[in-house]
Amino acid sequence: MEIKEQNNFYIITPLSPKLDKRESFRLEEEINNNSNKQVGLDLSYVQDCTIEFIDMLVNIKNLSIFNIHSDIFSLFLSMNLDKKLNLFVSEIDFTEKKHKLLNRKFRLV
């Protein structure tokens, strides 16, 4: 796990390609220890995740995620996690709070 602190931001980059129960527990501890800062989770190395990781994301408040793999992103959208989490494209978007990813689900009537 790689950790960067910049100004008021705390960015965590898991180096494991799969986030399972053990990794989720370590991430949750690290995020809860730094709850006074804006925490960002960089998923650039992650290609797969388990339900424990998703449950951990739902339970944590004020968490932003960026650099999401397409498989994980489609899973987030199908579970409507884009409404509960702050999803961004890159680290720059996270630090500037711009270009948040949303699935609007437009329909023609």
Side-chain angles (χ1 to χ4, degrees):
M1 185 178 339
E2 181 180 314
I3 299 170
K4 290 192 300 188
E5 284 189 65
Q6 300 175 350
N7 301 334
N8 198 22
F9 300 105
Y10 195 77
I11 299 172
I12 302 172
T13 306
L15 300 175
S16 173
K18 182 175 182 178
L19 293 178
D20 55 4
K21 186 175 183 177
R22 180 178 161 273
E23 291 291 325
S24 301
F25 181 72
R26 290 180 60 210
L27 282 172
E28 187 174 17
E29 283 183 338
E30 193 65 40
I31 291 168
N32 289 334
N33 289 340
N34 295 290
S35 59
N36 56 345
K37 296 181 181 181
Q38 291 182 340
V39 178
L41 193 58
D42 182 3
L43 298 182
S44 56
Y45 296 110
V46 179
Q47 296 179 2
D48 192 15
C49 65
T50 61
I51 192 67
E52 289 87 5
F53 174 70
I54 295 172
D55 289 339
M56 185 264 310
L57 292 178
V58 171
N59 293 332
I60 293 178
K61 305 286 187 226
N62 197 20
L63 177 68
S64 299
I65 303 174
F66 53 93
N67 290 337
I68 308 167
H69 192 266
S70 61
D71 294 340
I72 297 173
F73 182 64
S74 62
L75 183 65
F76 286 172
L77 293 181
S78 67
M79 296 179 76
N80 289 328
L81 291 180
D82 58 324
K83 309 297 188 260
K84 299 174 186 173
L85 301 171
N86 297 319
L87 304 177
F88 295 98
V89 175
S90 65
E91 183 177 341
I92 296 169
D93 293 338
F94 164 65
T95 56
E96 294 177 358
K97 295 289 184 195
K98 294 182 179 178
H99 308 293
K100 186 175 176 183
L101 296 173
L102 292 174
N103 185 9
R104 302 270 188 209
K105 295 185 181 179
F106 290 120
R107 294 184 185 165
L108 290 175
V109 181

